[in-house]
Amino acid sequence: MAISIEKEGKTVSDATISACEALGVARSEIEVEVLDEGSKGVFGIGSRNAKVRVTLKNQNLSDKGLKSKKALEDILGYLIPTFQVGLRENQDRIRLEIRDTNDKGLLIGRRGEMIKSLEYLVGKIAGKDSETGKEKRVSIDIDGYKSKKDNKITDLIRETIHKVRKTKKPVSLGPLSAADRRTAYLTLKRERGVSYETKVENDEKTIIITPSSKG
């Protein structure tokens, strides 16, 4: 279902701008229905605000998705001078992509810890009072950092699987972060001839890949 909101302003243009700011979208991403053009009145007497109903053209976006984008933009505005935030959604995830910034190191943090903090904070803010998309998880990436990192983990897993198959001996990976383990599990589930288990040592989790007895 398409998301719509109503806003008022001194003029139709003011009301439309207010709606765009509330939704966190550009003018090109909405359709505007003028409900009341407003009136200046006579010498200010009998003046009336203009009123518009704004509807998102993209019907695949949720209320939580839009709030996530707005929340992230508000937070970034306090941290860095220049950036752009893109928004995409699928059935279970809200994907926010930070682009056009020279402060990637600050936003990524050590081992991606800053990204995790932003995801948690934005998810909490956006999840409150959202009518649609409440069950979706917020995922934040910065100029493809996560995608490149996932590709590296996938390549590592495949190289390790090849080694395990060749030597017939188990190999331990880790310690890995929760996000890296998810990527590893997805890769391992698609491979044959090996099995795996997760072990915890000193609060750190490692994945052990072993030759499968089933071949």
Side-chain angles (χ1 to χ4, degrees):
M1 184 176 69
I3 295 176
S4 297
I5 64 170
E6 294 181 4
K7 284 289 182 179
E8 293 186 6
K10 289 184 178 181
T11 65
V12 169
S13 179
D14 288 342
T16 302
I17 291 172
S18 177
C20 286
E21 290 176 346
L23 292 172
V25 297
R27 174 64 179 83
S28 59
E29 298 176 73
I30 60 169
E31 293 178 348
V32 180
E33 178 186 356
V34 178
L35 303 177
D36 190 335
E37 292 187 352
S39 173
K40 294 182 180 180
V42 179
F43 300 114
I45 300 173
S47 62
R48 187 175 69 253
N49 278 344
K51 186 175 183 180
V52 299
R53 179 183 293 120
V54 166
T55 303
L56 280 177
K57 293 179 181 179
N58 188 344
Q59 298 187 17
N60 295 322
L61 298 181
S62 67
D63 190 27
K64 184 177 178 180
L66 292 168
K67 288 184 177 181
S68 296
K69 182 175 183 289
K70 183 68 165 55
L72 180 58
E73 288 174 336
D74 288 344
I75 294 170
L76 293 179
Y78 289 103
L79 299 175
I80 56 178
T82 58
F83 61 88
Q84 292 290 329
V85 176
L87 168 63
R88 292 183 294 120
E89 292 190 47
N90 57 26
Q91 290 183 341
D92 60 358
R93 189 170 299 185
I94 294 165
R95 299 178 183 273
L96 298 170
E97 175 79 20
I98 302 172
R99 302 185 297 264
D100 302 330
T101 176
N102 294 321
D103 298 277
K104 288 186 284 188
L106 169 67
L107 298 179
I108 292 170
R110 185 173 178 269
R111 295 184 180 178
E113 291 299 325
M114 185 63 168
I115 293 180
K116 294 176 189 175
S117 298
L118 287 172
E119 287 176 339
Y120 175 80
L121 189 57
V122 169
K124 284 291 186 183
I125 295 172
K128 187 178 180 181
D129 301 325
S130 290
E131 296 182 3
T132 57
K134 198 156 188 158
E135 72 289 349
K136 296 184 180 183
R137 188 168 69 86
V138 174
S139 176
I140 299 174
D141 201 355
I142 302 171
D143 280 339
Y145 164 78
K146 272 188 175 179
S147 300
K148 295 171 186 175
K149 191 165 181 280
D150 286 349
N151 289 337
K152 287 182 179 179
I153 294 296
T154 299
D155 289 343
L156 172 64
I157 297 300
R158 287 174 176 164
E159 288 172 6
T160 305
I161 289 171
H162 177 72
K163 182 178 179 181
V164 169
R165 287 172 177 160
K166 186 176 180 179
T167 63
K168 305 295 183 183
K169 294 180 180 180
V171 175
S172 177
L173 291 172
L176 298 174
S177 67
D180 289 345
R181 289 198 305 276
R182 280 195 296 270
T183 302
Y185 294 144
L186 289 172
T187 305
L188 285 163
K189 285 177 181 178
R190 292 192 291 263
E191 297 291 337
R192 296 181 179 180
V194 295
S195 58
Y196 60 92
E197 62 177 323
T198 304
K199 286 192 174 182
V200 182
E201 293 182 5
N202 299 323
D203 296 327
E204 293 183 329
K205 293 185 178 181
T206 61
I207 297 175
I208 301 174
I209 303 174
T210 60
S212 174
S213 58
K214 295 180 181 180

